[in-house]
Amino acid sequence: MNGDLVSVTSLVVALKTITLTLGGLITYFTYRAYRRTDSPALRALALGFGVVTLGAFLAGIADQIVGVDRTTVLVIESTLTAAGFGVITYSVYVE
């Protein structure tokens, strides 16, 4: 049983690392596009992806390093993911 928990924890850490890497790259490239074009939509898009990525990062820190209760970690991550997607949705409508 304990071996299964270690395997799942390792898998989650690996997936969070991939999420942070890809989310960071998307945020970086979107921000670069914003700087080239000065487009408010791209600025909002970069911010939205940044918030989603920040949620994954903070959830990982809270869970693995700080030892926050997993329910609280889930709420933190879900809140920032919803907020980030809200900003991304807004970016689609900005001119």
Side-chain angles (χ1 to χ4, degrees):
M1 178 75 174
N2 194 22
D4 290 340
L5 183 60
V6 170
S7 296
V8 169
T9 300
S10 298
L11 178 61
V12 169
V13 168
L15 291 171
K16 287 288 184 187
T17 301
I18 293 168
T19 300
L20 291 173
T21 302
L22 294 175
L25 285 170
I26 290 168
T27 302
Y28 172 72
F29 289 129
T30 307
Y31 179 75
R32 278 188 44 196
Y34 156 68
R35 295 288 295 179
R36 275 194 315 272
T37 64
D38 204 32
S39 166
L42 286 174
R43 180 182 60 222
L45 188 62
L47 178 63
F49 279 119
V51 171
V52 171
T53 304
L54 178 66
F57 176 72
L58 290 179
I61 295 295
D63 182 42
Q64 295 296 311
I65 296 175
V66 179
V68 174
D69 175 62
R70 294 228 165 131
T71 302
T72 304
V73 169
L74 182 60
V75 169
I76 292 168
E77 183 173 23
S78 296
T79 300
L80 289 171
T81 299
F85 282 133
V87 175
I88 291 169
T89 301
Y90 169 78
S91 76
V92 174
Y93 294 102
V94 173
E95 295 209 18

